[in-house]
Amino acid sequence: MIVEQPSGAYLVIHKASMAGRRIELWKDCTTLGRSSDCDIFLEDITVHRKQASIVRTPAGYVLRDDHGSGDSFVNEIPVQREQLLNSGDHLRFGNTVITFYASEGTRPFQLPVSRRRELHMGRTSELLPPAYLEVINTRSLSSYIELLPEMTIGRSRESSIFLEDLAVSRLHATIRELPSGDYELLDHRSATGTFVNGRAMARCVLRDGDEIQIGSTRFVFRLAHQ
């Protein structure tokens, strides 16, 4: 018997009944729809019973429109048949919005240069997340992590942002959205500290462009509407 292995790729659902839920993509073909027979059941009357599939291919993950009606969207562009997915792509089925991530946490998932430029220079406000972290790695390449209302950072695989770094505590820090719409960074008494713009911080409100360092990983906090 062939046992399908986890790929590290996952989805985060933002709207609909499962908002905030993270779903690992562990099958070669993951089906989505309003039917309980689908791998991912979307409780949304605007979604077809068998809406779409996410298929693992040698080139990467592909979104396939199984209904054939052109109402599966990637970054608000309808998928005619199949669409190769990039990490950070926004998928929409009916009223359900989902983000695709190609790998776990901040393990390198390189976005094409044109996509990085699009994020900074021309993405519409509907596609651009309200807040995100730009991850700066040692090769001077960047990747991006959309911030949900509350995200933990640490060496535990249960963390929202997993850092495979012995200098990082299992539960190192949390970034959470405040009622005001600001984002707060909270250090959980970590062994090596959490640094914002070079200064150790126990708790602080983040501003657009703040540089965060946790272990050997550097992030830049970004607000879309600045």
Side-chain angles (χ1 to χ4, degrees):
M1 180 178 68
I2 298 174
V3 178
E4 290 172 295
Q5 298 295 325
S7 65
Y10 63 98
L11 305 174
V12 175
I13 299 180
H14 300 290
K15 295 181 181 178
S17 60
M18 295 192 297
R21 182 174 174 184
R22 168 175 163 157
I23 301 173
E24 307 291 334
L25 294 176
W26 58 275
K27 298 179 67 176
D28 285 337
C29 179
T30 301
T31 56
L32 305 94
R34 195 161 45 85
S35 169
S36 58
D37 293 331
C38 292
D39 298 311
I40 300 177
F41 168 61
L42 300 178
E43 194 174 358
D44 180 344
I45 61 172
T46 63
V47 172
H48 300 294
R49 289 181 57 79
K50 294 186 178 179
Q51 175 87 34
S53 299
I54 297 177
V55 183
R56 182 163 50 187
T57 73
Y61 279 89
V62 168
L63 178 68
R64 185 178 67 201
D65 179 20
D66 291 334
H67 193 262
S69 54
D71 52 3
S72 296
F73 296 84
V74 176
N75 300 326
E76 293 305 315
I77 299 173
V79 175
Q80 299 302 321
R81 186 174 179 184
E82 293 184 346
Q83 173 68 49
L84 184 66
L85 296 175
N86 290 312
S87 194
D89 277 347
H90 290 254
L91 319 181
R92 182 169 64 81
F93 313 104
N95 294 323
T96 303
V97 179
I98 300 172
T99 302
F100 167 79
Y101 292 101
S103 61
E104 183 177 14
T106 57
R107 292 183 179 184
F109 52 93
Q110 296 308 322
L111 307 182
V113 171
S114 61
R115 185 169 175 78
R116 289 208 300 273
R117 185 180 302 117
E118 185 181 26
L119 179 62
H120 287 295
M121 297 177 60
R123 296 189 67 180
T124 64
S125 59
E126 288 80 6
L127 298 183
L128 195 63
Y132 58 94
L133 295 178
E134 180 181 358
V135 187
I136 310 298
N137 67 26
T138 55
R139 297 181 181 179
S140 299
L141 297 173
S142 301
S143 55
Y144 302 94
I145 300 173
E146 181 177 355
L147 288 175
L148 302 181
E150 182 165 321
M151 297 186 77
T152 55
I153 304 172
R155 192 160 44 86
S156 167
R157 289 183 178 272
E158 300 301 316
S159 298
S160 309
I161 302 174
F162 167 64
L163 300 179
E164 197 169 16
D165 182 345
L166 292 176
V168 174
S169 299
R170 290 182 59 78
L171 176 58
H172 197 104
T174 295
I175 296 178
R176 62 189 175 197
E177 186 177 6
L178 300 173
S180 64
D182 292 324
Y183 284 79
E184 178 184 59
L185 176 65
L186 174 66
D187 180 82
H188 293 291
R189 298 183 178 179
S190 61
T192 56
T194 298
F195 296 83
V196 177
N197 300 325
R199 298 178 58 188
M201 293 287 185
R203 181 192 298 257
C204 71
V205 173
L206 294 170
R207 303 301 179 196
D208 183 60
D210 278 350
E211 184 173 305
I212 304 165
Q213 179 149 0
I214 295 177
S216 61
T217 302
R218 291 187 298 123
F219 306 93
V220 177
F221 173 74
R222 299 292 188 190
L223 282 173
H225 305 295
Q226 289 292 315

